[in-house]
Amino acid sequence: MISNAGQSQPELSDASEPDYRERIPNVYSVMVPQMRTICTPSTLRRRIHVLEWLPKYRARYLLSDVIAGVTVTLTAIPQSIAYGILANLTPQDGIYSNLVGCFMYFMFGSVKDVTVAPTSIMAIMIQGVVTKLGPGAALLTLMAGAITFLFGLLNLGFLVRFISVPVITGFTTAACLTIGSAQLRSLFGISSAGKGSDFIDAWENVIEHIGETRLWDAVLGFSSIAFLVILRLTKDCGQGRWKTLFKYLALLRNAMIVVIGASLAYGFSLNGVQPFKLTGHVEAGLPPFHVPPLSITNNGTYYSFSDMVSVMRTSIITIPMVSILEIISIGKAFSKDKIVDATQEMLALGMCNMAVAFFSPLPVAGSFTRTAINNSSGVKTSLGCAVTTAMLLLALAVLTDAFYYIPKATLASVVISAMIFMVDYRGMAEIWRVKKLDMVPFLGTVIACIFLGLDYGILIGIAINCCILLYLISVPKIEVHMALVEDVRVLTVQPAMDLTFSSAEYLRDRVIRAVVEAFENPIDLVVLDGSTVNFVDTTVVKNLASVENDLRSREVGLVLWRWSRNTAGGLVRLKDGFRVLLSDEADLRDAVHQWRASSEGYLKDASE
């Protein structure tokens, strides 16, 4: 019985098992080498970037990295507090976000100059979500980080290419206007929070409550803005030591104005007077660990996971896109001649935001201001980020009492003065000077961001840009020339780019219209020059077949001149009759002679 079963089993498996035996080795032969490539020490060092540069670290780098880290911290503290408040969060949330983001970028970042931190754009983009979800906004930061990380894994950095310079400039301009407007309430000392912090809501709130302006808050705020702007404008003044002095005064201007404002507030408090609205209590100690909630009750309203996602809306996509755009553009700006690994930067930024989400709802991105300070301070490696992390921890341990006395008007002046210099005035002039058509996506982005919000605005800007791109593709430039080759009247048609389904009808209409309009000197032959065409699709090929039929009915010949092998192959595969219309002759005259020789009786047959 056993032997019979053993003999019968191969007869059943002969027809089925060989397929699996052939397929399984193929799967392993593909997957195993890929897994080995991913898990190699070199890949690990490249992705956990601290393992790449730390073994090569030199003692002479240490002083430069420490100086850069301390200098960045002096700017990071006031800005982090300001952006935390801007996002409707606590001041310490801004510092927690900066601290965790810096540490994670120290581990995974690939550009030594880049500093990852809360930015004004990230604060304003998450502000509305914080208003409704409160601490639940951390889920948005986690999802944004996960999406950014996924983009890096899938090498989807090319998606950023669909965000053109006019859209970026428009988005930045609108963001500066929105962020600056949101700070007017603190600048004037107005207590009313208004309906929201969008551009329109912010101005409506200020106009309605302008009578509640606190004189000394306004005086401090506007004088602080003047102080910051003057220091910023004089950073290149002087020569020698004076130039160095002005340079470092400009670098430390934010820290200086915060110290001055806090000192004034503390001095008044000693006399029992407080003319300014203050930041208030900031918790000391390490950032508390919180798992981002999947549901939450905020202000008496319960939000399930689906409700939270509906509140986040397009921010789930726009925050990753904008943060990726920021960090890659900043990395390219400061990496000089070195190539920026966009994949690694996306992975690093994704890791930063996923880690930040467990400590603060405020997402991080590349900070241009702090990166510029890092670069100008002579940073040598990403250890500067570790120094900034240590200094922020030290500040949370011993300086929280001092944070209490920072006037809100001073923080508002820090944000507004930063916005003044973030607007790309030169970029606007270049858009107008280079291509006035680019003003359409620029203005469309600005208007949409102001009236609909930054998340919808950038999507609308991208959509406008894509519509313009599709229009240009569907109406390609086509050069049409009349020529008399011996006694043959020739119409030469040359598209200036590849042909796709969107341009197929336009090409057909252009050819037929040119033939019809030449009724006084009828065309004998249409020569379609494909020397610049490297791609055609099915729609184009079918339309060319229709063009040939239309020309036959009008007793006009057709020559497909100088088409590449790939495009010509597509034509012939659809209709073998195209083969006799193809010509590789170098000279137009020779192509006309070839047509005459190969199509003798062509027009006569067509007329019969």
Side-chain angles (χ1 to χ4, degrees):
M1 292 294 291
I2 296 174
S3 61
N4 290 339
Q7 291 174 358
S8 62
Q9 190 67 24
E11 295 177 1
L12 295 173
S13 61
D14 284 342
S16 57
E17 285 188 1
D19 290 336
Y20 291 99
R21 291 172 180 174
E22 291 175 2
R23 291 175 186 173
I24 291 173
N26 290 335
V27 172
Y28 276 95
S29 66
V30 173
M31 295 299 295
V32 171
Q34 289 183 353
M35 294 300 295
R36 287 175 178 171
T37 302
I38 293 172
C39 298
T40 58
S42 61
T43 302
L44 192 65
R45 286 195 301 270
R46 191 168 69 253
R47 295 311 175 205
I48 306 177
H49 207 258
V50 67
L51 301 178
E52 179 74 22
W53 61 265
L54 192 58
K56 306 173 186 176
Y57 196 83
R58 298 291 179 267
R60 64 178 182 272
Y61 298 159
L62 184 60
L63 181 61
S64 297
D65 287 341
V66 170
I67 291 174
V70 172
T71 307
V72 169
T73 306
L74 294 175
T75 299
I77 290 174
Q79 284 194 339
S80 297
I81 293 173
Y83 295 149
I85 295 173
L86 177 62
N88 289 332
L89 295 166
T90 63
Q92 59 263 29
D93 279 320
I95 298 177
Y96 295 161
S97 178
N98 198 341
L99 189 155
V100 177
C102 263
F103 179 74
M104 295 302 292
Y105 193 80
F106 157 72
M107 295 291 294
F108 297 98
S110 62
V111 182
K112 65 179 179 64
D113 304 279
V114 169
T115 298
V116 167
T119 65
S120 53
I121 293 176
M122 290 294 104
I124 203 71
M125 291 184 76
I126 201 172
Q127 186 182 71
V129 178
V130 172
T131 302
K132 292 185 178 181
L133 300 182
L139 180 62
L140 173 57
T141 301
L142 179 65
M143 294 175 70
I147 290 172
T148 305
F149 188 80
L150 183 62
F151 279 6
L153 287 179
L154 300 178
N155 289 319
L156 295 181
F158 72 90
L159 293 175
V160 180
R161 300 173 192 170
F162 287 92
I163 308 178
S164 67
V165 170
V167 173
I168 296 170
T169 306
F171 175 78
T172 304
T173 302
C176 291
L177 292 173
T178 303
I179 293 164
S181 300
Q183 294 301 301
L184 291 176
R185 178 172 67 89
S186 297
L187 190 69
F188 286 101
I190 296 173
S191 299
S192 174
K195 299 176 184 178
S197 297
D198 290 339
F199 181 83
I200 302 299
D201 293 336
W203 278 100
E204 283 182 352
N205 183 51
V206 170
I207 293 171
E208 288 175 4
H209 298 91
I210 193 67
E212 302 174 12
T213 300
R214 294 165 58 99
L215 176 61
W216 292 110
D217 278 302
V219 170
L220 177 64
F222 281 102
S223 59
S224 297
I225 291 174
F227 177 82
L228 293 169
V229 170
I230 290 171
L231 285 184
R232 173 68 171 77
L233 294 175
T234 57
K235 68 183 182 68
D236 294 323
C237 293
Q239 293 181 349
R241 294 181 179 179
W242 286 105
K243 186 173 183 179
T244 303
L245 174 63
F246 281 115
K247 173 186 174 181
Y248 280 100
L249 284 176
L251 289 175
L252 300 176
R253 64 187 183 277
N254 290 331
M256 290 170 59
I257 200 64
V258 169
V259 170
I260 292 171
S263 300
L264 285 173
Y266 180 72
F268 281 117
S269 69
L270 292 178
N271 296 320
V273 180
Q274 193 50 261
F276 312 124
K277 295 184 68 175
L278 303 181
T279 297
H281 177 67
V282 177
E283 292 183 9
L286 295 174
F289 181 87
H290 300 291
V291 177
L294 299 180
S295 63
I296 194 169
T297 300
N298 189 49
N299 295 328
T301 304
Y302 174 76
Y303 294 92
S304 64
F305 178 77
S306 59
D307 295 331
M308 295 174 75
V309 172
S310 66
V311 169
M312 297 171 193
R313 301 183 304 179
T314 57
S315 298
I316 298 172
I317 295 298
T318 55
I319 286 180
M321 291 295 288
V322 172
S323 60
I324 289 171
L325 179 67
E326 281 187 326
I327 197 166
I328 292 178
S329 59
I330 290 171
K332 288 182 177 179
F334 288 93
S335 62
K336 297 181 180 179
D337 297 329
K338 296 181 180 178
I339 297 175
V340 175
D341 187 348
T343 297
Q344 180 60 27
E345 287 302 290
M346 286 188 286
L347 293 173
L349 183 61
M351 292 292 291
C352 288
N353 275 320
M354 284 191 289
V356 164
F358 290 91
F359 299 93
S360 169
L362 182 57
V364 294
S367 170
F368 189 90
T369 302
R370 277 156 278 185
T371 299
I373 293 173
N374 210 19
N375 176 267
S376 61
S377 300
V379 70
K380 299 298 182 184
T381 68
S382 294
L383 186 66
C385 288
V387 174
T388 299
T389 302
M391 293 298 295
L392 289 171
L393 283 172
L394 181 64
L396 285 171
V398 300
L399 295 179
T400 51
D401 291 338
F403 294 160
Y404 177 90
Y405 291 99
I406 299 175
K408 289 186 176 181
T410 299
L411 295 176
S413 70
V414 171
V415 176
I416 291 173
S417 62
M419 296 306 100
I420 292 173
F421 294 100
M422 273 190 66
V423 177
D424 192 358
Y425 305 102
R426 181 178 296 178
M428 296 182 206
E430 289 174 349
I431 291 171
W432 175 262
R433 189 166 59 248
V434 174
K435 192 72 173 179
K436 292 179 175 57
L437 180 63
D438 286 337
M439 292 300 293
V440 176
F442 168 75
L443 293 175
T445 304
V446 172
I447 294 170
C449 285
I450 286 176
F451 288 97
L452 300 177
L454 295 177
D455 49 356
Y456 282 121
I458 192 169
L459 293 178
I460 290 173
I462 294 171
I464 292 172
N465 223 38
C466 289
C467 287
I468 294 174
L469 179 63
L470 290 173
Y471 174 76
L472 294 175
I473 293 174
S474 63
V475 188
K477 182 180 179 181
I478 297 177
E479 296 183 3
V480 178
H481 299 288
M482 297 288 295
L484 185 63
V485 180
E486 296 179 355
D487 59 340
V488 178
R489 287 181 291 276
V490 179
L491 178 71
T492 305
V493 180
Q494 184 181 29
M497 59 188 295
D498 293 341
L499 299 173
T500 60
F501 65 93
S502 59
S503 59
E505 286 292 337
Y506 177 75
L507 174 64
R508 177 184 175 185
D509 293 343
R510 188 70 185 274
V511 172
I512 300 304
R513 187 168 65 250
V515 172
V516 172
E517 289 175 353
F519 60 90
E520 294 183 356
N521 296 301
I523 303 297
D524 297 319
L525 175 65
V526 172
V527 175
L528 189 55
D529 187 352
S531 57
T532 58
V533 178
N534 297 310
F535 174 84
V536 293
D537 59 21
T538 304
T539 308
V540 173
V541 176
K542 287 195 171 185
N543 272 269
L544 287 178
S546 298
V547 168
E548 191 221 357
N549 292 332
D550 290 340
L551 294 178
R552 272 180 177 271
S553 65
R554 289 177 169 83
E555 300 184 356
V556 178
L558 175 65
V559 169
L560 302 176
W561 183 37
R562 299 193 298 186
W563 287 69
S564 68
R565 181 181 296 273
N566 291 335
T567 53
L571 299 175
V572 173
R573 283 192 292 271
L574 178 71
K575 184 178 179 180
D576 192 64
F578 275 130
R579 194 182 302 275
V580 297
L581 304 179
L582 294 168
S583 174
D584 292 330
E585 299 292 341
D587 186 73
L588 178 61
R589 187 178 300 274
D590 294 335
V592 173
H593 284 313
Q594 180 184 355
W595 167 74
R596 268 184 157 170
S598 62
S599 60
E600 186 176 351
Y602 172 79
L603 297 179
K604 180 179 179 180
D605 292 340
S607 63
E608 291 177 355

